[in-house]
Structures are given as C-alpha cells and as structure tokens.
Amino acid sequence: MTFDSQAYATQLQDKVSRLRDLLAPFDAPEPAVFDSPLEHFRLRAEFRLWREAGERHYAMFSQDDKRTPILIEQFPIASLRINQLMPQLKAAWQASAPLSHKLFQVEFLTTLAGDAMITLCYHRPLDEHWHAAATKLASDLGVSIIGRSKGKREVIGHDYVVEKLDVGGRTFSYRQPEGAFTQPNGTVNQKMLNWAYEALGDRSDDLLELYCGNGNFTLPLATRVRKVLATEISKTSVNAALSNLSENAVDNGTLVRLSAEELTEALNEVRPFRRLHGIDLKSYAFGSVFVDPPRAGMDPDTCELTRRFENILYISCNPETLAANIAQLHDTHRIMRCAMFDQFPWTHHMESGVLLTRR
C-alpha cells in the first residue's frame, strides 16, 4: 500500500482551514502546523479475530457496518514494530492450541523507544498450559504479554511499556500502562510537548495542570516552573504519573487524584477533600494553568476556574469544544499562540493547542 503525499497535504490544509475558521472570531494568530508521518505513525492497534476457512484472521469493522469484517494481514498506519509482530503472533497462535483456544481479540502497544506489549483476550479461563505457551512466546518475540479473561489478568513481563521522548533538549522516560490512555501518534506527541514547553516558557511561579494522565506534559512543563500541582481521576494513570515523576527525578511536582470539577470545588473552598490532606493549596502561586481535557472540553465551572490565571495553555482533541471554551474566556483572555497537530492523519480528527494570556 502506498500513501498519496499530495492527498495528505490537501487533507492537512483542510484541517488547518477548519481550525483557522473556528478561531477567527477570537483574532487568533496564524496556527503553527505540525504534520505527521504518512505511515507507521500509530503506536497502538486493536483487532478482533475472525474465523474464516478454518483460520483466525486479524479483523476490523467499519463504523457503518459492524457485521462485515475487514480481514487484515498488515496495518500500514501502525508502527513498524506492530507490523513486524502481527505475522509472528499469528503464526504462534496457529501452532499452539493453548494460545488460540477461544482467543477473540488482540491489542498491541508499542513505543518510539522500541518497547512492545501484546494483550490477548479470551472467552475462557487461562490455565497453566496457556501460561507456559505465553511465557515462551513473550521470550521469542521480546515483548510483554497480558492475558485477559473474564475478571482475570495474567502478566508476563511488565504491564506497561516504556517510552522515551526528547523535549527541550532533555530525554524523558514514560511508563505507559496497559489499558490506560496514551497519545497514539508518538512523533506528533513529541512535537506537541515541545510546542507546549516553548509556549509556557521559563517562569518563576507555579503551574496547575488538569487532566494530567500519565504525566505526558507534566514532566517537561515541571522543568519550566517553580512547582506544579497536577490532577487526574484515573487511578491507573495517577500511579503511572507518580512513577514517571520519580523515574525522571522531577521533584517539584505534586499529584492528586481528583477530577477537574473536584479540584475546582477545592480551590473555591466549597468542600474539603481527604485526598488533599497534607497539601496546602494556599502555598501555591499559580501563574499558569495547563489543560488537556476529553473531547467534551472543560465544563463551565472548570472553564471559569481557568479564568483566574494569567496564562491558559490548552491542548484539545476537539476544535469545536475548544472554540466553545475560548468563547467563554474571550472577554478576559486573548489567544497569543495557536497550533494544529496532526495526531490522526487520514481522518477528520486533529489535535490543537492555544496559549491564552490575560488581557
């Protein structure tokens, strides 16, 4: 399969035009544009397995037809490592009854640093025969393997992969757990991190971060401020972020397992939270807030909270909700920088970023 570079350039320009139009009412500057590799950019992939002619095949389904499988041998948008592993894994389950029996789904997670994990999902309990076969497979392929069946999980190796990303002249190491959110396009993620690092700049005050995930942005942004308070609701992501802070010797960051809405209540002194025990919110001199919310954007109360800060650094996976949030903030903050990150080439989806500064 070959990819048409001209078709990609046209699609990229269409996304830039869409973002430009959405931000035009707010006098936004021209967006910086960060493109993607045309192929092998996606670091994770999930496949159902479909039996045909006595064999199981990797399969995907279109959004319009969930009944007719599209059988797949290779997946060109996925990383080279995933494409290397796909036939090797298929050959392994074809040769092994313990690996193939009632196997219905396969998930791959890889990193730019070369790490890889495979999750095998089953409609049956996993026994010692499966464990022996999976242990050999993990060794043969040089990967970690997770076995999942109803209510159970078997881990061979690690239940995470390790990514390494270069930001601001420093290499950061990230533990990315199985089942937790990670940015799918590692190359563009690295570009996003560097853009945010430059946009924030060196500051002598503190940073509040909402929706911090596994600390993807927390690590490099913490090096730009006096200290950072970051929040995340997912326990898996919180544990990964704590490990990542420690692994990278980032000692000016504090992480709290609260939702953005809960932290808003805490800062507004609506009610106390036990999870904030020992953390003096009044000791922070917040000058900037960083947000990377889900597709729905920030809720109105959280959006109002961000208005308090001199700088709002906002990464968005949905330009429509980004524009709606900016409309709520436009009377007090202006857009100083904006960017379009093509995290999802060959789709209409895009990631964008803005830096808003108080008027």
Side-chain angles (χ1 to χ4, degrees), residues 151-168:
K152 299 288 185 182
R153 186 179 77 144
E154 296 278 343
V155 179
I156 298 169
H158 300 292
D159 64 350
Y160 59 85
V161 291
V162 174
E163 181 63 286
K164 294 187 182 297
L165 299 172
D166 296 327
V167 186

Side-chain angles (χ1 to χ4, degrees), residues 52 113-114 140 199 225 304 352:
E52 189 169 284
D140 289 345
V225 296
E304 279 302 306
S352 50

Side-chain angles (χ1 to χ4, degrees), residues 164-167 185-195:
K164 294 187 182 297
L165 299 172
D166 296 327
V167 186
N185 189 325
T187 301
V188 176
N189 181 39
Q190 189 163 255
K191 294 177 180 182
M192 272 200 321
L193 292 173
N194 277 283
W195 179 85

Side-chain angles (χ1 to χ4, degrees), residues 94-333:
Q94 287 175 332
S96 169
L99 289 175
S100 65
H101 184 48
K102 294 194 175 181
L103 174 65
F104 73 92
Q105 184 167 299
V106 173
E107 301 166 12
F108 296 91
L109 179 61
T110 60
T111 68
L112 297 177
D115 206 358
M117 176 170 58
I118 300 173
T119 301
L120 306 174
C121 303
Y122 292 86
H123 286 311
R124 68 173 177 93
L126 302 178
D127 57 19
E128 66 273 14
H129 301 295
W130 177 87
H131 197 276
T135 300
K136 182 179 186 305
L137 177 63
S139 176
D140 289 345
L141 298 185
V143 302
S144 291
I145 288 183
I146 310 291
R148 285 194 171 272
S149 60
K150 187 176 181 180
K152 299 288 185 182
R153 186 179 77 144
E154 296 278 343
V155 179
I156 298 169
H158 300 292
D159 64 350
Y160 59 85
V161 291
V162 174
E163 181 63 286
K164 294 187 182 297
L165 299 172
D166 296 327
V167 186
R170 175 176 170 181
T171 300
F172 293 91
S173 176
Y174 293 88
R175 182 176 295 194
Q176 300 180 339
E178 185 247 355
F181 173 78
T182 54
Q183 297 286 350
N185 189 325
T187 301
V188 176
N189 181 39
Q190 189 163 255
K191 294 177 180 182
M192 272 200 321
L193 292 173
N194 277 283
W195 179 85
Y197 177 90
E198 290 298 328
L200 181 61
D202 273 322
R203 300 186 59 87
S204 58
D205 51 15
D206 302 331
L207 173 69
L208 175 66
E209 180 181 5
L210 309 179
Y211 323 95
C212 77
N214 72 341
N216 184 48
F217 286 93
T218 316
L219 301 184
L221 294 186
T223 68
R224 301 293 252 175
V225 296
R226 187 179 68 123
K227 56 183 180 175
V228 57
L229 177 67
T231 70
E232 169 59 46
I233 192 60
S234 162
K235 186 178 289 187
T236 301
S237 294
V238 166
N239 290 335
L242 289 170
S243 294
N244 291 336
L245 287 169
S246 176
E247 172 71 21
N248 291 274
V250 175
D251 58 6
N252 64 334
T254 299
L255 201 91
V256 185
R257 192 167 71 85
L258 290 175
S259 68
E261 294 82 359
E262 289 171 330
L263 185 72
T264 299
E265 290 184 342
L267 290 170
N268 289 335
E269 299 183 347
V270 173
R271 65 186 177 107
F273 289 88
R274 282 183 297 174
R275 280 167 282 174
L276 283 169
H277 179 71
I279 298 173
D280 181 8
L281 292 178
K282 289 185 168 59
S283 72
Y284 286 87
F286 292 120
S288 305
V289 60
F290 175 80
V291 297
D292 183 8
R295 289 190 60 77
M298 291 189 288
D299 67 276
D301 288 343
T302 303
C303 203
E304 279 302 306
L305 171 69
T306 65
R307 190 194 297 278
R308 301 179 187 180
F309 302 91
E310 179 184 346
N311 297 307
I312 304 168
L313 191 53
Y314 191 143
I315 296 289
S316 170
C317 60
N318 184 342
E320 279 77 19
T321 55
L322 170 66
N325 283 160
I326 293 174
Q328 186 175 341
L329 298 166
H330 186 54
D331 59 331
T332 56
H333 287 72

